[in-house]
Amino acid sequence: MRAKAVKGSPAAESESGGAQPAAPSAAPGSESDLRAAGLKALRELLPGVFPEGDDIDLRDGRFGEELVEIGVTSVFGALWARDGLSRRDRSLVTLGILIALGAESELQTHVRIALTNGLTEDELGEVLYHASGYAGFPRAVAARTAAREALGQ
């Protein structure tokens, strides 16, 4: 059984033969395209952290050294490079997910990214408060500690 689209929504217009919304564009397809898109996104999201050039080696010679490369291509190249959401909105979504997961280390980085993407410290606080009701108070407290560290407080 298919749900009926809400009148005036893009889905309703599509069903009625009206204008169809453009599909959101996907990130580039090849591994090298994804890496280049990921490096570009990271340089924009974390200015001054990643050196220029496509031939930089992010491996450190230690256990699990390819994990950063996997993140560059599969997270920042394939997801952050998409057009479907603004970077500000992606930051809000990412912060909520990281708080719910209890991923404080990643949260510290994404607090910095969120500031680059235009969120204010007051808005970051609201994300914590809102997450406490859905992810639980202990997760929000842990996230607050991580955010304070990222903010230098």
Side-chain angles (χ1 to χ4, degrees):
M1 176 188 236
R2 189 167 167 218
K4 180 123 173 99
V6 176
K7 184 177 180 180
S9 73
E13 289 181 6
S14 176
E15 285 178 359
S16 66
Q20 294 184 358
S25 68
S30 78
E31 185 78 18
S32 63
D33 287 348
L34 286 171
R35 186 175 194 275
L39 287 171
K40 180 179 185 294
L42 278 167
R43 287 182 181 117
E44 292 169 358
L45 296 169
L46 293 167
V49 174
F50 291 87
E52 291 300 320
D54 289 336
D55 61 346
I56 63 170
D57 187 355
L58 300 173
R59 295 172 296 175
D60 63 4
R62 297 168 58 195
F63 175 77
E65 69 176 6
E66 294 179 37
L67 193 57
V68 173
E69 284 290 342
I70 291 168
V72 167
T73 57
S74 66
V75 176
F76 291 95
L79 300 176
W80 280 87
R82 294 177 60 85
D83 292 330
L85 292 172
S86 70
R87 287 199 173 159
R88 185 179 194 286
D89 290 346
R90 284 189 196 282
S91 279
L92 288 168
V93 170
T94 302
L95 291 170
I97 292 168
L98 293 175
I99 292 168
L101 289 173
E104 288 86 15
S105 177
E106 288 292 313
L107 184 67
Q108 287 183 7
T109 299
H110 281 277
V111 164
R112 292 174 41 216
I113 289 172
L115 292 170
T116 300
N117 287 338
L119 272 78
T120 65
E121 286 189 27
D122 287 343
E123 289 170 321
L124 291 172
E126 288 298 326
V127 170
L128 290 175
Y129 309 147
H130 195 72
S132 72
Y134 290 89
F137 195 77
R139 290 282 166 106
V141 170
R144 181 188 65 183
T145 300
R148 284 178 174 176
E149 288 179 31
L151 297 169
Q153 297 181 3

